Amino acid sequence: MSIQGVQLFIQDDHVVMDNGILQVTISKPEGIVTGVSYQGIDNLLEIRNHESDRGYWDLVWSEEGTGGTTGTSYVIKGSKFKVMVENEEQVEISFTRDRSSLEGKHVPLNIDKRFVMLRGSSGFYSYAIYEHLKEWPGFNLPQTRIVFKLRKDKFQYMAVADNRQRRMPLPDDRSPRRSSPLAYPEAVLIVHPVESEFQGEVDDKYQYSCENKDLHVHGWICNDPPVGWWQITPSNEFRSGGPMKQNLTSHVGPINLAMFLSAHYVGEEMVPKFQRGEPWKKVFGPVFFYLNTLIDNNDPLWLWEDAKQETKTQVQCWPHNFLASDDFPKSQQRGCVSGRLRVSDRYVSNEHISVNGAYVGLAPPGDVGSWQTESKGYQFWTKTDENGYFLINDVRTGDYNLYAWVPGFIGDYKNDTIITITSGCDIDMGELVYEPPRDGATLWEIGIPDRTAAEFHVPDPDPKYINKLYVNHPEKYRQYGLWERYSDLYPNGDLVYTVGVSDYRTDWFFAQVTRKKNDGKYEGTTWQIKFNLDNINQTGIYKLRVALATAYVAELQVRINNPKANPPLFTTGVIGHDNTITRHGIHGLYGLYSIDVKGTFLMEGENTIFLTQPICSSALQGLMYDYIRLEAPPS
């Protein structure tokens, strides 16, 4: 490794950061990364693209009052360049856009993009400060991210996780003459690929999405010479939606994304909407772009292992202490919160239950579960140890609520105390007790309360629509077109589940979708749960708990022992814009419904619950269940 100091070369229309290991060229004053030189490769970025289409920050915005998750796309270009730090140990440079200097319709934000290079570091950092002043117009911000487009002749192997990596098709394979369109533009069937190994495969960027909690490193490998390009995100504090929020990663291009705000797998509820008179400032990043090569090793996959090790190093060094902006607080300027979370459910145990692996987080004050759609502030999450203890370090100053959810138990926990984090504070919350929703003993249950539908039956895909990565894979739900398999498995009638006989792992389809009819149109579906009761408490109130893992323009109607009851016993109304079924997820927004069932509605012997999803304008509408339970009346 070179021990050369960091140098900054400033030209008329670009600047170069060089530490002897790599050189990064950035347009001036726009702040677009036009070149990255490493290990004898003049430019790792796609030289076939225009200089403005290689490495950039961008956003999608819309005017106040606009609905939906789309808007005007804008590549963020600075109008002023400034050197913030320049010495042998570090260079930090700034590219700012000042909203007040722009004419016409522009997103009402000041944006300061930063790039940082350190001595002896095999990579570079980028972060940005977004600011909306209260006197400016309101606006919506559906998406913002960093995009890098790498050379297609070099980077052909992609890695997102230990068990999610493969050689990828070329972008040429997605062209109309080499592929066939599928149900939506992101998905294509490759029919005439440049390389025959990809013939007959589906390519879709959503097949490589990842939950925030697992989204710390992903990237690409070049074999000749052996070089890795990795995006490392040490903290999720600036990402929206909490640990379960899913985001895009890398995909065919080769493209490498750092997603900060997106509505994917949630819908419009995830879009931050700012009003005139509402000041806002947020720091996105820093993200580390790490480059590596083989040393005393000839296996290119070692580059992935090394990137994971570098990720651990970056996590341990968080929050970085070398950034020049005062808007990014150092560790000593932050606070921490600790405590113990236990569960009280007298139908499971007479004692408080210590829970291992519960998710505990600080997020801006809001309603129970509001962290799922929170997108303006910062969130800080951890997991409890085997005794339920938790520690949340390096929390930015401000006001928070403490939230939690516990795998194995339904519902959400929220502590009503407003927690004010001050610089250097150490707050002990003591013992917290979560009482999950419960009225009576469990008569029967279907599934596992873990906020996903992963435990249910996920069918094999149609052989015409294969992604080879997900054959015999634990995440086989990422295959394309699984919604069509419901009609194949249930051509003449809908799913019927018999408690005590059926097995949810094989007999409960992972998504309640529409059925395609012979005329090409779709119809709603009604699933049945059959169960026996020996003794009925005629004066008691039973409770049906239905936890949904996702919904997309759907409705759940519940009826008991009368499939034609009008009105139904319960309806959610039209819910959900998660689009999870389309995007190969196994969950979106979590929702819990608790339904009173009078004892007079039930019969001794066999009973049937009818679950109807009637909305049927497309193949991609429907629900995923997380967990269903029937409780006896309170004892």
Side-chain angles (χ1 to χ4, degrees), residues 32-98:
I32 306 295
V33 182
T34 63
V36 178
S37 176
Y38 177 72
Q39 284 295 307
I41 303 177
D42 287 342
N43 200 346
L44 304 182
L45 305 184
E46 185 51 86
I47 55 179
R48 294 173 177 85
N49 289 5
H50 188 273
E51 284 194 346
S52 62
D53 188 29
R54 296 177 185 175
Y56 53 86
W57 285 73
D58 73 1
L59 57 80
V60 176
W61 76 284
S62 59
E63 295 182 350
E64 184 178 6
T66 305
T69 60
T70 59
T72 301
S73 296
Y74 170 64
V75 174
I76 301 168
K77 295 180 180 180
S79 56
K80 295 179 182 177
F81 164 74
K82 185 177 181 181
V83 179
M84 308 305 294
V85 178
E86 183 181 9
N87 57 53
E88 288 195 344
E89 299 301 317
Q90 173 180 347
V91 164
E92 178 167 339
I93 51 180
S94 164
F95 302 86
T96 56
R97 87 182 277 287
D98 184 346

Side-chain angles (χ1 to χ4, degrees), residues 202-411:
V202 169
D203 179 66
D204 182 350
K205 65 182 179 181
Y206 292 111
Q207 292 180 318
Y208 306 103
S209 295
C210 186
E211 294 172 346
N212 282 343
K213 65 183 176 63
D214 302 317
L215 186 49
H216 289 298
V217 57
H218 61 96
W220 292 84
I221 292 174
C222 164
N223 278 333
D224 186 18
V227 165
W229 171 289
W230 308 104
Q231 180 219 119
I232 295 176
T233 306
S235 170
N236 285 318
E237 67 180 48
F238 43 78
R239 283 183 174 144
S240 57
M244 299 288 283
K245 170 72 171 72
Q246 297 161 91
N247 275 307
L248 293 171
T249 58
S250 292
H251 59 267
V252 164
I255 289 175
N256 183 238
L257 299 175
M259 302 296 300
F260 302 121
L261 290 175
S262 85
H264 297 140
Y265 302 94
V266 179
E268 188 176 348
E269 292 176 79
M270 193 79 255
V271 176
K273 298 182 177 182
F274 302 93
Q275 299 176 345
R276 183 185 290 273
E278 179 180 0
W280 176 72
K281 181 185 281 190
K282 187 169 183 177
V283 178
F284 293 105
V287 174
F288 184 47
F289 294 95
Y290 177 60
L291 309 182
N292 58 359
T293 189
L294 295 180
I295 302 173
D296 301 326
N297 192 311
N298 59 5
D299 180 8
L301 294 184
W302 177 87
L303 298 171
W304 166 249
E305 297 300 321
D306 177 64
K308 291 193 298 179
Q309 192 60 45
E310 179 64 26
T311 301
K312 292 180 181 178
T313 300
Q314 293 291 326
V315 170
Q316 290 166 359
C317 295
W318 185 270
H320 300 312
N321 62 5
F322 52 80
L323 302 183
S325 173
D326 292 335
D327 291 310
F328 185 82
K330 311 297 187 286
S331 183
Q332 63 270 22
Q333 297 171 299
R334 299 177 177 227
C336 68
V337 173
S338 60
R340 188 184 193 188
L341 180 67
R342 307 181 82 186
V343 171
S344 174
D345 186 336
R346 66 190 179 95
Y347 289 96
V348 175
S349 171
N350 289 325
E351 306 292 331
H352 286 173
I353 305 163
S354 295
V355 286
N356 185 16
Y359 291 83
V360 182
L362 295 173
D367 297 330
V368 174
S370 59
W371 55 268
Q372 283 195 104
T373 55
E374 200 288 317
S375 56
K376 293 182 180 179
Y378 301 91
Q379 298 196 30
F380 302 84
W381 287 84
T382 190
K383 293 173 75 172
T384 57
D385 66 14
E386 63 273 11
N387 295 311
Y389 289 100
F390 63 88
L391 173 63
I392 306 175
N393 274 323
D394 295 313
V395 182
R396 284 172 160 266
T397 58
D399 290 341
Y400 300 89
N401 278 136
L402 186 141
Y403 304 88
W405 67 275
V406 185
F409 296 89
I410 59 175

Side-chain angles (χ1 to χ4, degrees), residues 100 204 368 426 582 587:
S100 60
D204 182 350
V368 174
D426 186 352
T582 311
H587 72 86

